[in-house]
């Protein structure tokens, strides 16, 4: 594979990691120095690159009668433990067990330049990906498949031009335009919903958006949890604690709103200890009793959920997996209200709050003062998650994708 030029690689690194880290890496000799000018046209060239990769009739004839359908998955580069990639790989693995065969291809990946290195990385950091799945470091190696799947807005631009496939799907885990201010990148992301792919969405909120606002054929899956990791534990003391999923680097997780709410709660009830996890918050002034765990392993999360009476998990876009992990560990999720959450959490299995710091503090204070009601929600949350299954959700996705492939193949005949 041809390596990106120095300026292009530096710009990508700057965009992904920020100026400070880029300069530090440059000093260490691990990354090229920051270029003197931003190559905007070069960086976003993929948005306007629509030169088609043609349909290969010979390959189609070879595979058209395959009982085991082949799926190409185009994924962005990942770091250790990426939640979005974990969900993608979980579905790929379950679909492999159900009868599809998958190939994974990285798109615009500066850190993996050969197949061996990405396979080694995935084996170490994403062991849930079954070994039968093929993995490649770049889309330039992509071959014919019965279906090709975009997994993020950037990858959708490559799938748009890849014609060597019968069906095209879009694995949509969040409304990605909302990751950006309402400017160019918002538009680049939103435009991918108009490319004519079939949607497989994380939940009904996204499904309805794709259908109603963009005319996409879309089906949804629901969430579950890893029952080998997230298991119930009994709280061993009477100390009042709140867990906060704190991601100041992720605006849609409402860090500032949560901080104000928790400060108000702890002003009223100074005996409460707040447990921060998700990011290192040592650079922030925190005037109340707290622990700063930073980025932690799943097992540390299990222990943290279990010692907390409530776990505050706010989201301004799609619901995260954290509420289900919390319920599975015998704690109570405090989630923001809205259609982006209510497709799975409700007043029975969780505590729902407005995007208002005072109202959040009011609700949490109420349940600290009404432990019997809190215990009822805790039990209902546990019962709820026990009834969910990632494998059952994969069966729904399998059926949806198989139907789409069969319908699209008829158009070729």
């Amino acid at each position: 594979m041809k390596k990106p030029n120095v300026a292009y690689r530096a710009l990508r690194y700057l965009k992904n990691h920020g100026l400070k880290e880029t300069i530090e890496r440059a000093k260490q000799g691990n990354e090229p120095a920051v270029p003197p000018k931003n190559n905007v046209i070069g960086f976003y060239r993929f948005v306007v690159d629509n030169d088609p990769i043609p349909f290969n009739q010979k390959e189609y004839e070879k595979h058209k009668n395959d009982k085991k359908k082949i799926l190409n998955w185009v994924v962005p580069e990942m770091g250790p433990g990426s939640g979005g990639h974990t969900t993608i790989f979980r579905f790929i693995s379950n679909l492999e067990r159900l009868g599809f065969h998958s190939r994974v291809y990285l798109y615009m990946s500066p850190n993996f330049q050969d197949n061996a290195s990405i396979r080694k990385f995935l084996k170490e950091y994403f062991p849930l990906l079954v070994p039968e799945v093929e993995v490649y470091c770049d889309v330039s190696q992509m071959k014919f498949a019965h279906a090709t799947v975009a997994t993020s807005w950037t990858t959708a631009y490559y799938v748009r031009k890849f014609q060597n496939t019968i069906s095209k799907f879009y694995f949509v885990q969040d409304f990605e335009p909302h990751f950006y201010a309402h400017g160019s990148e918002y538009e680049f992301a939103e435009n991918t919903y108009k490319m004519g792919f079939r949607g497989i969405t994380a939940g009904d909120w996204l499904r309805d958006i794709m259908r109603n606002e963009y005319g996409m054929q879309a089906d949804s899956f629901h969430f579950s949890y890893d029952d080998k990791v997230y298991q119930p534990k009994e709280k061993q003391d009477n100390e009042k604690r709140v867990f906060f999923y704190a991601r100041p680097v992720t605006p849609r997780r409402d860090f500032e709103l949560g901080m104000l709410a928790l400060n108000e709660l702890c002003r009223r009830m100074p005996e409460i200890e707040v447990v921060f996890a998700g990011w290192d918050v040592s650079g922030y002034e925190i005037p109340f009793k707290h622990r700063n765990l930073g980025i932690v392993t799943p097992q540390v999360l299990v222990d943290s959920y279990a010692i907390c009476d409530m776990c505050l998990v706010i989201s301004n876009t799609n619901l995260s997996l954290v509420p289900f992990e919390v319920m599975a560990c015998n704690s109570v999720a405090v989630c923001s209200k809205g259609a982006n959450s209510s497709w799975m959490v409700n007043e029975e299995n969780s505590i729902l709050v407005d995007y208002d710091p005072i109202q959040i503090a009011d609700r949490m204070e109420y349940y600290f003062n009404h432990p019997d009601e809190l215990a009822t929600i805790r039990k209902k949350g546990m019962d709820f998650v026990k009834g969910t299954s990632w494998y059952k959700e994969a069966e729904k996705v399998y059926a949806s994708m198989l139907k789409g492939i069969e319908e699209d193949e008829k158009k070729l005949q």
Side-chain angles (χ1 to χ4, degrees), residues 193-213:
Y193 302 144
K194 307 169 188 176
M195 290 180 177
F197 306 154
R198 296 175 180 269
I200 302 292
T201 71
D204 302 344
W205 175 66
L206 285 169
R207 179 201 63 195
D208 293 345
I209 290 175
M210 294 302 119
R211 288 178 178 177
N212 299 333
E213 297 186 24

Side-chain angles (χ1 to χ4, degrees), residues 69 71-75 78 84-106 122 128-135 149-151 171 173 221 390-391 393-394 397-398 401:
K69 305 301 182 185
L71 308 180
N72 287 336
W73 295 78
V74 185
V75 302
M78 72 295 291
H85 287 84
T86 298
T87 299
I88 293 167
F89 295 151
R90 178 178 284 116
F91 272 92
I92 289 174
S93 295
N94 281 329
L95 292 172
E96 194 81 20
R97 297 181 181 106
L98 286 164
F100 286 151
H101 176 59
S102 288
R103 308 188 195 113
V104 173
Y105 298 87
L106 294 191
L122 291 177
L128 83 166
L129 187 64
V130 296
E132 294 83 2
V133 174
E134 300 176 48
V135 181
V149 189
T151 59
F171 194 83
Q173 296 194 66
F221 62 86
W390 282 121
Y391 192 78
E393 297 307 313
V397 171
Y398 179 89
M401 295 185 79

Side-chain angles (χ1 to χ4, degrees), residues 309-330:
D309 302 276
M310 288 174 264
C311 300
L312 180 60
V313 188
I314 316 173
S315 180
N316 249 300
T317 55
N318 202 24
L319 188 69
S320 78
L321 296 177
V322 175
F324 306 92
E325 299 168 0
V326 166
M327 294 178 205
C329 294
N330 201 35

Side-chain angles (χ1 to χ4, degrees), residues 18-38:
L19 179 61
K20 182 177 178 181
E21 185 174 331
T22 301
I23 293 172
E24 290 299 317
R25 291 292 296 272
K27 288 178 180 177
Q28 299 167 17
N30 295 327
E31 283 292 331
V34 179
K37 294 182 179 180
N38 287 339

Side-chain angles (χ1 to χ4, degrees), residues 169 198-200 218-220 395-405:
F169 289 87
R198 296 175 180 269
I200 302 292
D219 294 312
S220 63
E395 289 178 324
K396 289 160 54 176
V397 171
Y398 179 89
S400 178
M401 295 185 79
L402 185 60
K403 179 182 177 184
I405 293 169

Side-chain angles (χ1 to χ4, degrees), residues 113-164:
Q113 298 296 318
D114 60 81
N115 295 334
S117 63
I118 181 60
R119 289 169 184 167
K120 180 181 178 182
F121 176 86
L122 291 177
K123 185 175 182 180
E124 179 177 359
Y125 292 106
F126 295 90
L128 83 166
L129 187 64
V130 296
E132 294 83 2
V133 174
E134 300 176 48
V135 181
Y136 300 92
C137 70
D138 189 68
V139 290
S140 61
Q141 303 176 60
M142 201 152 75
K143 299 178 289 187
F144 170 86
H146 298 90
T148 299
V149 189
T151 59
S152 67
W153 76 264
T154 54
T155 65
Y157 281 94
Y158 189 85
V159 173
R160 176 182 63 173
K161 72 177 192 173
F162 186 79
Q163 305 302 329
N164 197 17

Side-chain angles (χ1 to χ4, degrees), residues 338-350:
N340 59 319
S341 298
S342 60
W343 58 271
M344 277 208 86
V345 297
N346 54 54
E347 296 281 7
E348 293 286 314
N349 59 36
S350 307

